Amino acid sequence: MLKNVLPNLIRLTKIFSLFSILSGEINIYSHRHYDSDKILFKKFTQQTGIKVNVVKGSADQLIQRLVTEGENSPADILLTVDAGRLERAKKMGILQSIDSKILRKNVPQLMRDPDNNWFGLTVRARVIVYAKDRVKPTDLSTYEALAEPQWKGRIAVRSSNNIYNQSLLASILAANGSDSALSWAKSVRGNMARSPRGSDRDQARIVASGLADIAIMNTYYLGVMSNSPDITDQEVAKKLGVFFPNQDGRGVHINVSGAGVTASSKNKKEAIQFLEFLTSKNSQEVFAKENYEYPLKVRKNKSKLLKSWGKFKYDQLQLSILGDNNTDAVKIFDKAGWE
Amino acid sequence: MFSLFICILIFTPIALVALQFNNNTENWDHIQQTVLTTYIFSTLILVLSTAILSTFIGVTCAWLVACCEFPGRKFFEWTLILPLTIPTYIAAYSYYDLLEMFTPMMIWIRSNFSPESMIYFNDIMVYLVTSLVMTSVLFPYVYLSTRASFLMQGNQLIEAAKTLGHKPSNIFWKVALPMARPAIIAGLSLVVMETLNDYGAVEYFGIPTFTIGIFRSWLGMNDMGSALKLSSYLLFFVFFILYIEKYFRGEAKFHQKNDSSRTYSPNLLKGKYSILAIFFCLLPLCLGFIIPITRLLFWASSVSGSFFDITFFQVIFNSIGLASVSSLLIVTLATILIFTSSYFQSKIVKVANQFAILGYSMPGAVVAMGFLLIAGYINQSMGYLLTGTLISLTFAYLVRFLAVAWQPIDSGMEKKCDQINQASRILGNSALISMFKLNLPLLKKSIIVAVLLIFVDIFKELPLTLILRPFNFDTLATLTYDLNSQAQLHESAIPALLIILVTIPPIIFLNNQLDDRL
Ligand SMILES: [Fe+2]
């Protein structure tokens, strides 16, 4: 019985998976779940007639799945947040190099892989957010200063399982070396108001509640919160100010969300077309308007809210280095006892 | 042959993980020196506190409901199992702000004592609250098995003790409780497995357990070897618990309940005692069911109607379809496996079966890892892709949930069909005839129970579905998780509520059929 059934089943599923290849769609593995993306996917289909299929999931699991699937993977594009992750995907050999003039023009050099395996799509700044009623911006200066004892029991920041924190530490590692990165992580862990948990948004809430005075978080969450239908979130956002650290030095730590064409892609042409579409001026405005992320040309942003936070200088570190330093950063967090 | 093949297939992911125990991997030294003790201790603390709380609540409720009489007892008898319909990840997010309620207290501690004592206080609260949330939806496992034991095993002895003039409290401590010990341990082992299996709640409350560690080394450090090795540690921990469970349980087994009426006279509670009893049953019911449900309903009511579009109904259809088809398939396989081991009296099949049903004891994360390992081998050697199809998802469910089908069918077979099958074989009937003509009619009830149990489990299942599902495919569980990770708390309440609502009728039906799923 088994002898007959199994090959037939296999054939059946092959037919199903071939389906998408024949009709010229693109398949995306995406970590991002924002309305901005839905809007842009729809627009792309309207403009080109190419259908967009999406599997949403946590990026790490999607990367793992791509590795397992190898050449047979149906995915054309890996779309995720954080350069550290994109670089990891590249190292695992699941992306391919793309030669596109448009992409090279639209994406600044530090925001894409030097070998063009992945490209940034939006920019996010990881800043210090402070309670306006208790903290003066003049009290703040750099990420490094957060290790000082005056912040004992006053800092809110999420778990080191989170890639944003891993990338932040990776940038500090690149700037200051591993010894001082370790002592920084140790001191900041010691200065936390509570053991790390929750999302970036939760850190904002902790500061608003008075439990902590400052938080390390990405700016766009503040945008999301101040435009939230939830009034309590709006009030949280009102109480908080944005501070861009290290302005006298290397600049604030930035990161991208980005995408790459998979090594196994069967719809390479359409996939490239899709990336070019996402980096176009119009799409960039949608990202900024719907999700409060900075466009790739950070200084050219037109969003009122984004402008209200002010202009800033950002770290010119090649973002692929965040990926190179990622494992070391995780290990430093382990050593520092930052859960 | 077929049976053996299936057993090996199912056993492989587990074996692959167990084999990693002695493997030395890239980052193992680092893990051992830095975080391993943290993982071990936080897991132990969480498991222990959840186990203690669950025992306390589960046993007390079982005693009150089974051996006492007070107003509302009948109502509590079946409502106290309802928390089982709420998966831990949904419980965690319906209580997402519970910990924040202590913020004013923490600020007070900081201003009156020191930042250090505030941090210390927070650490205690994190474990207390997390284990309380876990307990609120897991205690029914203890409640169910203990209640069954109080009802079934204690009757005569309790009656005897009573006639000899012992006080009720004495009877509880000296007779009923020791006799219920195997049942309590059995229920507890399920609580422990579910606690170990949880990823959502511990992530929510920031407790670095083994499961968190597995994901961190696998995905965060990109070191599958170390993740597998951590999984194997967890696996041996599970073996250890299974061993304890077997040891304490001895030869005692649970049987399906035939008659729920109580054959001895219960303690009649009066006045303040009956109020106390009502309070004691109401509290876990509120914590584990009424409060989460009310909050979810409240959130859901604020969601606009446009949420209910065609895709949403597609998701409902996906969930029901997937759970139905998979549960039927798994139960069919389980029946075939159990039948062959009964009909042919085969030792090898029996042993293989024992290993194959370990799947349920393993955290979903471990099954997923083992599965991806196999999928990788098959992809490389045969060029056939296993991930992202419904077939592979169903197979993963099979590995994980076969044991759930096993218990009711196996005990049904043992009680009703073993001798028939041997006779039938001696009389020269073929295996197929024995199975269809003789066994299936007798096993009908057990099979229905098994299908429902698995249906409920798959309907709630999150980690496996999340990793292995196909393109554009959502179930209510993954939708809840997705919406939640986008911080759309109110929207995610809708699929969460649907999961709970759909699983309520089967759970109530099962309560009437079965005293324990073990
Ligand atoms: Fe984010």
Side-chain angles (χ1 to χ4, degrees), chain B residues 121-191:
Chain B
F121 174 74
N122 171 67
D123 288 344
I124 297 172
M125 290 318 291
V126 167
Y127 282 95
L128 208 64
V129 165
T130 312
S131 52
L132 190 70
V133 169
M134 297 270 210
T135 300
S136 69
V137 294
L138 295 179
F139 82 89
Y141 287 123
V142 179
Y143 162 74
L144 269 174
S145 58
T146 316
R147 189 188 71 186
S149 158
F150 283 155
L151 282 175
M152 299 294 297
Q153 301 180 325
N155 287 354
Q156 286 133 6
L157 269 175
I158 290 174
E159 275 301 288
K162 240 180 191 169
T163 14
L164 289 172
H166 284 285
K167 278 191 293 183
S169 61
N170 265 341
I171 297 176
F172 176 75
W173 288 111
K174 296 221 169 107
V175 183
L177 200 59
M179 286 196 55
R181 200 179 58 191
I184 296 172
I185 303 269
L188 258 187
S189 67
L190 282 175
V191 172

Side-chain angles (χ1 to χ4, degrees), chain B residues 3-14:
Chain B
S3 298
L4 203 61
F5 176 74
I6 295 287
C7 290
I8 291 169
L9 209 62
I10 295 170
F11 177 58
T12 322
I14 304 168

Side-chain angles (χ1 to χ4, degrees), chain B residues 423-496:
Chain B
S424 157
R425 200 172 158 210
I426 293 166
L427 289 175
N429 286 329
S430 81
L432 278 178
I433 288 183
S434 303
M435 180 158 146
F436 283 101
K437 288 249 160 93
L438 301 172
N439 288 17
L440 286 187
L442 285 172
L443 289 176
K444 211 166 80 191
K445 214 166 164 188
S446 311
I447 288 178
I448 293 175
V449 165
V451 170
L452 283 177
L453 278 172
I454 299 183
F455 179 88
V456 169
D457 269 334
I458 294 181
F459 208 73
K460 301 192 293 193
E461 209 286 330
L462 183 65
L464 283 177
T465 321
L466 211 53
I467 302 178
L468 300 172
R469 67 190 155 145
F471 274 108
N472 302 336
F473 187 88
D474 262 309
T475 64
L476 287 170
T478 60
L479 188 64
T480 307
Y481 180 85
D482 275 348
L483 287 170
N484 212 359
S485 52
Q486 300 161 54
Q488 297 187 317
L489 195 67
H490 295 206
E491 285 80 1
S492 74
I494 292 173

Side-chain angles (χ1 to χ4, degrees), chain A residues 13 54 56 68-69 72 88, chain B residues 216 219 379 384 469 472:
Chain A
T13 49
V54 187
K56 280 192 253 173
T68 306
E69 290 172 345
N72 292 323
R88 191 189 299 162
Chain B
R216 186 183 171 98
L219 305 171
N379 190 21
Y384 175 64
R469 67 190 155 145
N472 302 336

